PDB file of all heavy atoms in Angstrom:
ATOM      1  N   MET A 276     123.993 167.973 132.822  1.00  0.00           N
ATOM      2  CA  MET A 276     123.938 167.429 131.463  1.00  0.00           C
ATOM      3  C   MET A 276     123.378 168.466 130.500  1.00  0.00           C
ATOM      4  O   MET A 276     123.880 168.627 129.378  1.00  0.00           O
ATOM      5  CB  MET A 276     123.072 166.159 131.435  1.00  0.00           C
ATOM      6  CG  MET A 276     123.673 164.995 132.211  1.00  0.00           C
ATOM      7  SD  MET A 276     122.574 163.566 132.281  1.00  0.00           S
ATOM      8  CE  MET A 276     122.407 163.177 130.560  1.00  0.00           C
ATOM      9  N   ALA A 277     122.347 169.199 130.927  1.00  0.00           N
ATOM     10  CA  ALA A 277     121.750 170.220 130.066  1.00  0.00           C
ATOM     11  C   ALA A 277     122.757 171.314 129.760  1.00  0.00           C
ATOM     12  O   ALA A 277     122.864 171.806 128.636  1.00  0.00           O
ATOM     13  CB  ALA A 277     120.501 170.790 130.724  1.00  0.00           C
ATOM     14  N   MET A 278     123.529 171.685 130.803  1.00  0.00           N
ATOM     15  CA  MET A 278     124.529 172.723 130.600  1.00  0.00           C
ATOM     16  C   MET A 278     125.626 172.230 129.659  1.00  0.00           C
ATOM     17  O   MET A 278     126.144 172.991 128.824  1.00  0.00           O
ATOM     18  CB  MET A 278     125.133 173.136 131.943  1.00  0.00           C
ATOM     19  CG  MET A 278     124.136 173.872 132.868  1.00  0.00           C
ATOM     20  SD  MET A 278     124.817 174.208 134.501  1.00  0.00           S
ATOM     21  CE  MET A 278     126.142 175.324 134.067  1.00  0.00           C
ATOM     22  N   ALA A 279     125.993 170.950 129.754  1.00  0.00           N
ATOM     23  CA  ALA A 279     127.023 170.392 128.865  1.00  0.00           C
ATOM     24  C   ALA A 279     126.544 170.418 127.424  1.00  0.00           C
ATOM     25  O   ALA A 279     127.302 170.738 126.505  1.00  0.00           O
ATOM     26  CB  ALA A 279     127.371 168.974 129.313  1.00  0.00           C
ATOM     27  N   ILE A 280     125.262 170.041 127.212  1.00  0.00           N
ATOM     28  CA  ILE A 280     124.704 170.047 125.858  1.00  0.00           C
ATOM     29  C   ILE A 280     124.658 171.473 125.326  1.00  0.00           C
ATOM     30  O   ILE A 280     124.963 171.741 124.158  1.00  0.00           O
ATOM     31  CB  ILE A 280     123.305 169.412 125.859  1.00  0.00           C
ATOM     32  CG1 ILE A 280     123.402 167.912 126.205  1.00  0.00           C
ATOM     33  CG2 ILE A 280     122.613 169.606 124.517  1.00  0.00           C
ATOM     34  CD1 ILE A 280     122.071 167.227 126.395  1.00  0.00           C
ATOM     35  N   GLU A 281     124.293 172.396 126.203  1.00  0.00           N
ATOM     36  CA  GLU A 281     124.208 173.814 125.808  1.00  0.00           C
ATOM     37  C   GLU A 281     125.573 174.316 125.370  1.00  0.00           C
ATOM     38  O   GLU A 281     125.712 174.991 124.346  1.00  0.00           O
ATOM     39  CB  GLU A 281     123.671 174.645 126.972  1.00  0.00           C
ATOM     40  CG  GLU A 281     123.492 176.109 126.664  1.00  0.00           C
ATOM     41  CD  GLU A 281     122.336 176.373 125.739  1.00  0.00           C
ATOM     42  OE1 GLU A 281     121.433 175.482 125.656  1.00  0.00           O
ATOM     43  OE2 GLU A 281     122.315 177.423 125.072  1.00  0.00           O
ATOM     44  N   ARG A 282     126.641 173.981 126.162  1.00  0.00           N
ATOM     45  CA  ARG A 282     127.988 174.405 125.798  1.00  0.00           C
ATOM     46  C   ARG A 282     128.433 173.806 124.477  1.00  0.00           C
ATOM     47  O   ARG A 282     129.053 174.454 123.638  1.00  0.00           O
ATOM     48  CB  ARG A 282     128.978 174.024 126.907  1.00  0.00           C
ATOM     49  CG  ARG A 282     128.864 174.886 128.156  1.00  0.00           C
ATOM     50  CD  ARG A 282     130.052 174.675 129.059  1.00  0.00           C
ATOM     51  NE  ARG A 282     130.149 173.267 129.515  1.00  0.00           N
ATOM     52  CZ  ARG A 282     129.579 172.837 130.639  1.00  0.00           C
ATOM     53  NH1 ARG A 282     128.847 173.661 131.393  1.00  0.00           N
ATOM     54  NH2 ARG A 282     129.709 171.588 130.992  1.00  0.00           N
ATOM     55  N   ALA A 283     128.060 172.492 124.249  1.00  0.00           N
ATOM     56  CA  ALA A 283     128.457 171.821 123.004  1.00  0.00           C
ATOM     57  C   ALA A 283     127.807 172.486 121.809  1.00  0.00           C
ATOM     58  O   ALA A 283     128.443 172.675 120.761  1.00  0.00           O
ATOM     59  CB  ALA A 283     128.077 170.345 123.071  1.00  0.00           C
ATOM     60  N   MET A 284     126.526 172.857 121.935  1.00  0.00           N
ATOM     61  CA  MET A 284     125.849 173.520 120.817  1.00  0.00           C
ATOM     62  C   MET A 284     126.430 174.888 120.555  1.00  0.00           C
ATOM     63  O   MET A 284     126.546 175.315 119.401  1.00  0.00           O
ATOM     64  CB  MET A 284     124.341 173.597 121.101  1.00  0.00           C
ATOM     65  CG  MET A 284     123.622 172.266 120.988  1.00  0.00           C
ATOM     66  SD  MET A 284     121.812 172.419 121.034  1.00  0.00           S
ATOM     67  CE  MET A 284     121.579 172.942 122.732  1.00  0.00           C
ATOM     68  N   CYS A 285     126.818 175.604 121.632  1.00  0.00           N
ATOM     69  CA  CYS A 285     127.418 176.929 121.448  1.00  0.00           C
ATOM     70  C   CYS A 285     128.764 176.819 120.749  1.00  0.00           C
ATOM     71  O   CYS A 285     129.096 177.596 119.847  1.00  0.00           O
ATOM     72  CB  CYS A 285     127.584 177.630 122.806  1.00  0.00           C
ATOM     73  SG  CYS A 285     126.015 178.150 123.530  1.00  0.00           S
ATOM     74  N   ASN A 286     129.591 175.828 121.218  1.00  0.00           N
ATOM     75  CA  ASN A 286     130.907 175.622 120.618  1.00  0.00           C
ATOM     76  C   ASN A 286     130.783 175.234 119.137  1.00  0.00           C
ATOM     77  O   ASN A 286     131.664 175.541 118.333  1.00  0.00           O
ATOM     78  CB  ASN A 286     131.679 174.557 121.374  1.00  0.00           C
ATOM     79  CG  ASN A 286     132.021 174.989 122.786  1.00  0.00           C
ATOM     80  OD1 ASN A 286     132.110 176.205 123.057  1.00  0.00           O
ATOM     81  ND2 ASN A 286     132.202 174.043 123.690  1.00  0.00           N
ATOM     82  N   THR A 287     129.671 174.526 118.802  1.00  0.00           N
ATOM     83  CA  THR A 287     129.468 174.093 117.411  1.00  0.00           C
ATOM     84  C   THR A 287     128.982 175.249 116.558  1.00  0.00           C
ATOM     85  O   THR A 287     129.076 175.216 115.330  1.00  0.00           O
ATOM     86  CB  THR A 287     128.440 172.929 117.359  1.00  0.00           C
ATOM     87  OG1 THR A 287     128.855 171.911 118.241  1.00  0.00           O
ATOM     88  CG2 THR A 287     128.337 172.348 115.962  1.00  0.00           C
ATOM     89  N   GLY A 288     128.454 176.258 117.174  1.00  0.00           N
ATOM     90  CA  GLY A 288     127.977 177.416 116.432  1.00  0.00           C
ATOM     91  C   GLY A 288     126.526 177.327 116.026  1.00  0.00           C
ATOM     92  O   GLY A 288     126.103 177.986 115.072  1.00  0.00           O
TER      93      GLY A 288
END
Side-chain angles (χ1 to χ4, degrees):
M276 293 175 61
M278 292 174 64
I280 294 173
E281 182 72 21
R282 287 193 299 269
M284 287 190 292
C285 289
N286 294 335
T287 307

